[in-house]
Amino acid sequence: MRAVVIRRFGGPEVLEVIEAPLPEPGPGQVRVRVAAAGLNPADLAARAGLFGPAELAPGEFLGLGWDVAGTVDALGSGVSGPAEGTAVVGLVSGSGRRFKAHAEYVVVDADAVAAAPSSVGLVHAATLPVNAPTADQALGLLGARPGDRLLVTGAAGAVGGFAVQLAHHAGLRVVALARADDEPLLRELGADEAVASLDGVRADAALDAAVLGSPVLAAVRDGGAYVTARPGAVPAAERGIRVAAVQVRPDGARLAELVALADRGVLTTRVADTYPLADAAKAHARLAEGGLRGRLVLVP
């Protein structure tokens, strides 16, 4: 199979597409024939060496890609489902794996996958497994209740957009921060207010998907809650505000519930563009430029 890997850390130029043996699923795992795999900021961070060791040992390499959509084609021992031939989405956990989702096949824990949505194709489905659970788990950390005023930064992005939709669905009053020209999109996602700056904004809680830090914390009321989307970027607590970072974890059962919300139209998948595996470096460069209103997706 073909797979995108890195042998050293750096810019998009360090990405390679190699030929590799077909991975075999171990106990509790399934092998997925990849139809589409999202490209996330975490992939750029992993490529740059922000996770794990300072450098790779000679001869070693690492794979990239956290979220996948495709078809189950082999089951490991102890796995009764999903059955072979089932279209699934899943979160490929772990940052030190030799092969991940940016490949023609990937091995995934069986309890980290869910049946793919029926309302969209697999390219769009590949935008769900990382970003929707990240937004969902961040909202869980905040503990906001219906009627609370929630500030979401980076609200036009992938995590922020799902957060706006999930919060609106849960009965929160959503203040969405993004560029001024994103207001029509934010309203469509369900934001009660769309703002282009934090001037005068006050909220009971904040999901800082844009990782702006202290200025967002300053907009939260005393005793409120703040969650950032980047572990290691939590500002110091003040005024009794609870602060935390979301670090997404695989949860196939909850992912299935999020897929159901997508099929009901509560969540909207957005694809900015697709790239073949051979153009992974171009996709990385485009994501680094910023300004996307949807995910880039690699298609083997």
Side-chain angles (χ1 to χ4, degrees):
M1 71 165 187
R2 293 177 304 142
V4 177
V5 302
I6 56 172
R7 300 180 192 274
R8 58 189 176 91
F9 299 120
E13 72 281 355
V14 305
L15 296 168
E16 299 179 42
V17 179
I18 66 170
E19 290 288 341
L22 201 64
E24 295 297 333
Q29 296 180 322
V30 297
R31 186 173 66 208
V32 175
R33 182 174 183 177
V34 179
L39 178 65
N40 292 285
D43 294 301
L44 274 60
R47 186 205 71 220
L50 300 184
F51 303 148
E55 61 183 24
L56 298 177
E60 287 298 310
F61 58 83
L62 296 177
L64 300 173
W66 269 257
D67 50 5
V68 63
T71 305
V72 174
D73 90 322
L75 306 180
S77 63
V79 177
S80 57
E84 292 183 24
T86 303
V88 295
V89 291
L91 172 57
V92 184
S93 61
S95 58
R97 295 176 52 162
R98 290 167 67 87
F99 301 112
K100 295 191 71 178
H102 294 168
E104 292 180 313
Y105 292 84
V106 66
V107 168
V108 189
D109 291 340
D111 60 5
V113 303
S118 59
S119 56
V120 296
L122 291 176
V123 169
H124 272 262
T127 67
L128 279 168
V130 168
N131 297 293
T134 298
D136 182 59
Q137 291 170 26
L139 291 172
L141 288 172
L142 286 170
R145 296 170 294 183
D148 281 353
R149 188 175 169 87
L150 172 71
L151 169 63
V152 178
T153 73
V159 171
F162 283 136
V164 170
Q165 292 185 303
L166 288 169
H168 173 75
H169 182 65
L172 304 180
R173 294 178 297 153
V174 182
V175 181
L177 175 67
R179 299 183 313 205
D181 58 2
D182 284 319
E183 181 174 357
L185 169 62
L186 301 178
R187 296 290 188 181
E188 184 179 337
L189 293 174
D192 297 282
E193 298 178 44
V195 298
S197 81
L198 291 170
D199 294 343
V201 173
R202 297 295 293 169
D204 299 299
L207 196 172
D208 191 9
V211 196
L212 302 179
S214 296
V216 177
L217 191 68
V220 178
R221 67 165 173 81
D222 294 359
Y226 167 97
V227 169
T228 177
R230 182 182 299 166
V234 182
E238 60 181 62
R239 297 181 287 111
I241 299 171
R242 292 185 295 106
V243 297
V246 61
Q247 189 160 6
V248 66
R249 64 187 185 279
D251 183 345
R254 180 55 180 161
L255 180 57
E257 295 173 353
L258 295 171
V259 166
L261 291 178
D263 280 337
R264 289 168 50 193
V266 173
L267 297 179
T268 305
T269 58
R270 293 178 288 149
V271 173
D273 206 351
T274 60
Y275 290 80
L277 288 183
D279 288 340
K282 293 180 181 179
H284 275 240
R286 177 64 190 91
L287 179 56
E289 291 174 3
L292 293 169
R293 293 300 175 257
R295 272 286 171 250
L296 301 178
V297 177
L298 297 183
V299 179

